[in-house]
Amino acid sequence: MTRNPKGPRASPAVKTGVPILRKDAKTQSVRSASVSRGNLVARASVNQFPPTLGDIDLHLFGEGRHERIYEKLGAHVITHEGKRGVAFAVWAPNAAQVSVVGNFNGWDGKENRMRRLSDSGVWEVFIPGLRDRELYKYEIKHGRRKFLKADPYAFMMEVPPDTSSIVFKSTYKFRDRPWITERARRQPWREPLSIYEVHLGSWRRILEDRNRPMTYQEIAPVLADYVVKNNFTHVEFLPLKEHPYGPSWGYQVSAYYAPSARYGTPDDLRFLVDHLHGCGIGVIMDWVPAHFPKDAFALGRFDGTALYEHLDPRKGEHPDWGTYIFNYGRNEVRNFLIANALFWLREFHLDGLRVDAVASMLYLDYSRKEGEWVPNEFGGRENLEAIAFLKELNEITHRECPGALMIAEESTAWPLVSHPVYAGGLGFDFKWNMGWMHDTLKYFRTDPLFRAGNHNALTFALVYAWSENFILPFSHDEVVHMKGALLNKMPGEEWQKFANLRALYGYMWAHPGKKLLFMGGELGQWREWTETESLDWHLLQTPVHKGMLKLIHDLNKLYSSHSEFWESDTEPAGFRWIEVDNAAENVLAFGRISTLSGKEVICVSNFSPVVREDHRIGLPVKGTYKQILNTDHEKYCGGGFGVVRSIKAEGIPSHGLDYSASITLPPLGTMWFEAPRK
């Protein structure tokens, strides 16, 4: 189980718990007057207008089955009883009184009090005269205390560190209907999937303007051109939901329905997704249902009680990240999360969600010592409520959003994560292969003199390669917290570091499993990633870094154009070992096969820093094999060893195959050969 934290725990400037409302708190967020019109709205009697939620809405919400609850709770600009205004609704069952406050009423909770709808715990009010972009919060009374909370269902928030919710009504019209229609017909496990993982705030910053991050609108054409040019199929964004503390990278979410205002409006994000779709690029976003921060203005102790979280810290607090854990057994909380997943897939046309920290959800004793956790009703360590939630989540999202991908970051041996619920699985489409990642990096960190003793770190992944639909990730988690950049993990002198990384990429792109690479890895960046600085784009002025990017470009192009790598990616018939046990020479060879066409590509890797001439490798059929990749090629700033147009299979049996060829293996290099048609 991974225990790597998603950045620092919480903003040190924000106290946790429920704040008492002081006199000066009424002016909170008023400094963002440019967003609000500052108009005062007359006090609205709670009985002046009938409720904007019906009995069916409340019934479904109470059962946890309202899949569009975000259209009812929150703030919505509507025409109600002939009046234009904003309908507010919030779930706060343990509150004694709830009011809407904002610039429009001087932040005075006596002006616009809400009414409670039966025993649902939902409070609502319609305020005529209010319009789009009004600032607001909820003033909640619990016992003798009054405190302000942002709206859990707000569609827009202020730019941090300001924390007010903002009324927002989208006017964006998507133009990607052909993309969405075609997506529903795809079979992603039988298609190429090469994902470029991006932290939007640090991919490319504008140095001339106070080193600020690019906005959603600004980054759209630049990122799209870069991803298309380098032949990635998808972009995966680190969480873009609003979060109070930038160094959490978006993994400590305070507003689940609001894109981060750091980069623009919600419609600006819609434009970014739409533009990427128009360029043929899929869009995935990290989604965080495992925990949320304790910041006082947000979800924690929302109505004065543990509402979204468990009260018992053994179930309700995360020891690694200093955050609260959702109460998955509560219908309204489960509804909040499932509707949120649907919201991002429907309203922003995302092509998938990568669900963060699934392992921490599955196990009640995750990162806990004896006595720090509560067993389930059967005495086990499995979180039965979280398991039921994940299954329901995946069934509903697949039903409602055909073709959308649900991807699990799950770091343990939990079985059947990417198998359908009806077959006993959790229902995800793919699972990150964290075992492959850790074993592979362990091998490549090792000096080649001692790699023979770690040879099984490369071969073990094929023991379980088809137990799940895997994605091979070199993610952001591997290049932070003093772990070093991928290039700096490689041993040896500078030429060896680059050759090692190129050989690793060639091996990775041929290995069973879809691909994911965090930004900067394609450049061969030397330093660790930090969220406050742009990637080191100046490195591309250096031939060896330019060669690394050229390699990634070619790998993605060859990968997408050769169905051998992905058509039978999830079945053992799509793979064959050729040379598996040559630990002494650090040599590995295997074939990737398309079971539909019978085509095959042979991958041969030499992970030692010496040239191996006249190395005999077994081949499946007679004929001429075209070399389609050599990571030591001069165009990648390699030494040019083993670069040939083709090799010819001889009738000499080797490695259990009827044919073979004698080839030169480049030092720290990977080669691909396209087999002739049978």
Side-chain angles (χ1 to χ4, degrees):
M1 294 180 289
T2 181
R3 297 189 183 184
N4 181 44
K6 301 294 182 185
R9 289 191 171 189
S11 172
V14 181
K15 295 180 180 179
T16 60
V18 178
I20 303 299
L21 180 61
R22 308 297 182 187
K23 290 183 179 179
D24 58 353
K26 293 180 181 178
T27 60
Q28 193 167 273
S29 301
V30 175
R31 55 184 176 276
S32 298
S34 60
V35 180
S36 177
R37 298 169 182 81
N39 57 305
L40 296 179
V41 175
R43 181 183 300 180
S45 167
V46 295
N47 295 317
Q48 185 176 349
F49 295 92
T52 55
L53 287 83
D55 291 340
I56 294 179
D57 295 315
L58 299 177
H59 175 75
L60 290 174
F61 180 55
E63 290 192 339
R65 296 191 298 111
H66 200 313
E67 295 173 6
R68 292 185 179 270
I69 191 62
Y70 53 84
E71 295 178 352
K72 298 298 180 178
L73 297 184
H76 302 278
V77 179
I78 62 171
T79 299
H80 186 50
E81 297 293 305
K83 298 288 186 179
R84 194 69 172 168
V86 176
F88 296 92
V90 64
W91 180 55
N94 301 300
Q97 179 60 56
V98 183
S99 300
V100 182
V101 296
N103 286 350
F104 51 86
N105 61 15
W107 298 88
D108 186 349
K110 296 188 296 294
E111 295 298 316
N112 298 111
R113 293 180 176 173
M114 306 177 78
R115 69 176 144 201
R116 183 177 180 125
L117 299 180
S118 64
D119 60 352
S120 66
V122 173
W123 300 75
E124 71 84 40
V125 68
F126 174 74
I127 305 179
L130 288 191
R131 294 177 289 171
D132 193 27
R133 305 303 176 95
E134 291 284 358
L135 290 175
Y136 73 99
K137 281 190 175 182
Y138 295 116
E139 181 185 291
I140 297 176
K141 182 179 180 182
H142 181 264
R144 291 186 169 184
R145 297 173 297 165
K146 287 184 181 179
F147 45 90
L148 297 177
K149 286 286 188 177
D151 188 349
Y153 288 85
F155 291 159
M156 186 175 178
M157 295 290 292
E158 288 187 287
V159 178
D162 295 329
T163 59
S164 287
S165 303
I166 301 175
V167 177
F168 182 82
K169 183 176 178 64
S170 175
T171 58
Y172 189 81
K173 304 297 182 185
F174 277 96
R175 296 165 294 178
D176 62 353
R177 181 178 293 276
W179 171 275
I180 300 297
T181 302
E182 174 61 25
R183 187 189 74 187
R185 293 195 286 261
R186 293 175 183 165
Q187 293 182 312
W189 53 91
R190 291 190 179 275
E191 296 183 359
L193 189 64
S194 181
I195 303 167
Y196 186 54
E197 189 186 30
V198 172
H199 176 261
L200 191 147
S202 61
W203 182 71
R204 183 170 292 177
R205 298 173 74 92
I206 302 178
L207 302 180
E208 299 79 12
D209 189 4
R210 304 182 304 282
N211 189 33
R212 69 169 177 83
M214 300 180 80
T215 65
Y216 299 124
Q217 291 266 1
E218 290 170 338
I219 203 172
V222 186
L223 179 61
D225 289 349
Y226 184 80
V227 172
V228 169
K229 182 178 179 181
N230 291 295
N231 301 305
F232 288 96
T233 64
H234 288 69
V235 168
E236 180 177 318
F237 290 110
L238 272 61
L240 292 175
K241 299 172 289 296
E242 196 56 87
H243 52 285
Y245 190 45
S248 77
W249 317 328
Y251 288 96
Q252 295 194 3
V253 181
S254 55
Y256 273 76
Y257 286 83
S260 180
R262 292 170 174 84
Y263 315 119
T265 70
D267 278 356
D268 291 339
L269 176 56
R270 287 180 170 92
F271 170 82
L272 170 58
V273 176
D274 203 13
H275 186 82
L276 289 168
H277 284 171
C279 295
I281 304 163
V283 184
I284 301 165
M285 185 180 71
D286 284 11
W287 187 64
V288 191
H291 62 119
F292 60 93
K294 296 180 179 179
D295 296 77
F297 71 91
L299 287 180
R301 304 297 193 261
F302 185 78
D303 63 358
T305 68
L307 188 63
Y308 285 87
E309 68 276 24
H310 286 280
L311 179 62
D312 187 340
R314 295 175 299 171
K315 297 179 69 175
E317 295 191 25
H318 206 297
D320 281 347
W321 304 321
T323 49
Y324 287 133
I325 297 173
F326 283 104
N327 183 349
Y328 306 107
R330 193 160 194 169
N331 289 347
E332 296 88 348
V333 174
R334 194 169 64 254
N335 202 153
F336 171 81
L337 290 170
I338 291 176
N340 185 251
L342 293 171
F343 170 79
W344 288 101
L345 296 171
R346 288 170 174 161
E347 300 297 322
F348 288 85
H349 288 205
L350 296 181
D351 300 295
L353 298 174
R354 177 268 197 185
V355 182
D356 180 66
V358 170
S360 74
M361 301 171 65
L362 294 175
Y363 299 96
L364 293 165
D365 64 343
Y366 182 87
S367 197
R368 298 178 191 272
K369 300 175 184 177
E370 186 175 350
E372 295 179 347
W373 58 283
V374 181
N376 63 35
E377 60 186 291
F378 303 108
R381 57 197 285 253
E382 299 81 9
N383 189 332
L384 303 179
E385 295 169 343
I387 294 166
F389 160 73
L390 290 171
K391 290 180 177 181
E392 183 180 7
L393 166 74
N394 288 320
E395 286 190 312
I396 291 175
T397 51
H398 285 125
R399 183 190 72 218
E400 294 296 315
C401 305
L405 301 177
M406 298 298 290
I407 302 167
E409 184 209 21
E410 203 286 310
S411 55
T412 75
W414 188 278
L416 306 179
V417 171
S418 58
H419 290 239
V421 173
Y422 64 76
L426 292 182
F428 287 97
D429 296 285
F430 292 99
K431 170 182 170 172
W432 276 20
N433 195 338
M434 310 293 279
W436 173 89
M437 181 268 295
H438 286 296
D439 289 346
T440 301
L441 290 180
K442 175 186 176 183
Y443 180 89
F444 276 88
R445 282 195 189 100
T446 304
D447 188 293
L449 287 173
F450 307 105
R451 282 179 175 172
N454 284 323
H455 193 73
N456 67 320
L458 292 183
T459 60
F460 179 66
L462 273 301
V463 173
Y464 61 87
W466 298 281
S467 62
E468 302 278 4
N469 299 330
F470 281 122
I471 292 175
L472 309 182
F474 283 149
S475 72
H476 63 280
D477 274 333
E478 304 316 309
V479 294
V480 290
H481 300 317
M482 306 302 291
K483 293 181 181 179
L486 287 177
L487 183 63
N488 254 335
K489 296 180 194 294
M490 303 296 113
E493 301 171 2
E494 182 173 312
W495 80 266
Q496 290 177 319
K497 288 181 180 292
F498 278 95
N500 261 303
L501 188 56
R502 290 194 302 265
L504 168 55
Y505 286 155
Y507 165 74
M508 172 185 178
W509 256 254
H511 193 285
K514 311 305 182 184
K515 323 302 174 189
L516 180 140
L517 183 65
F518 183 59
M519 63 183 201
E522 80 280 12
L523 308 178
Q525 184 160 301
W526 285 103
R527 65 173 176 84
E528 277 195 343
W529 167 65
T530 173
E531 78 281 351
T532 59
E533 296 181 31
S534 177
L535 294 184
D536 291 338
W537 295 105
H538 64 276
L539 294 175
L540 291 179
Q541 300 172 19
T542 306
V544 70
H545 293 279
K546 191 173 182 179
M548 189 69 74
L549 181 59
K550 170 64 174 170
L551 174 64
I552 295 297
H553 167 279
D554 289 355
L555 285 172
N556 279 329
K557 184 176 181 180
L558 288 167
Y559 168 71
S560 293
S561 62
H562 283 74
S563 60
E564 299 94 312
F565 293 121
W566 39 262
E567 204 167 57
S568 306
D569 207 20
T570 59
E571 38 188 302
F575 176 90
R576 82 162 95 211
W577 279 119
I578 296 176
E579 190 167 7
V580 64
D581 56 358
N582 192 350
E585 293 186 311
N586 306 147
V587 173
L588 203 67
F590 55 85
R592 296 302 314 280
I593 306 163
S594 167
T595 54
L596 298 181
S597 67
K599 294 189 298 180
E600 185 169 357
V601 170
I602 308 301
C603 174
V604 186
S605 294
N606 173 22
F607 296 134
S608 68
V610 297
V611 180
R612 301 198 183 279
E613 297 181 346
D614 298 323
H615 184 88
R616 185 158 295 278
I617 189 75
L619 297 172
V621 295
K622 66 179 180 180
T624 300
Y625 289 70
K626 178 182 177 183
Q627 187 181 85
I628 58 175
L629 178 79
N630 185 329
T631 63
D632 199 49
H633 198 288
E634 292 93 336
K635 64 184 174 181
Y636 308 131
C637 275
F641 291 96
V643 176
V644 294
R645 285 183 178 273
S646 61
I647 58 174
K648 191 172 183 63
E650 303 173 280
I652 302 174
S654 182
H655 299 109
L657 298 173
D658 294 335
Y659 303 90
S660 65
S662 181
I663 61 177
T664 296
L665 302 184
L668 300 172
T670 294
M671 299 183 293
W672 295 355
F673 295 94
E674 186 179 53
R677 292 292 186 96
K678 295 180 181 179

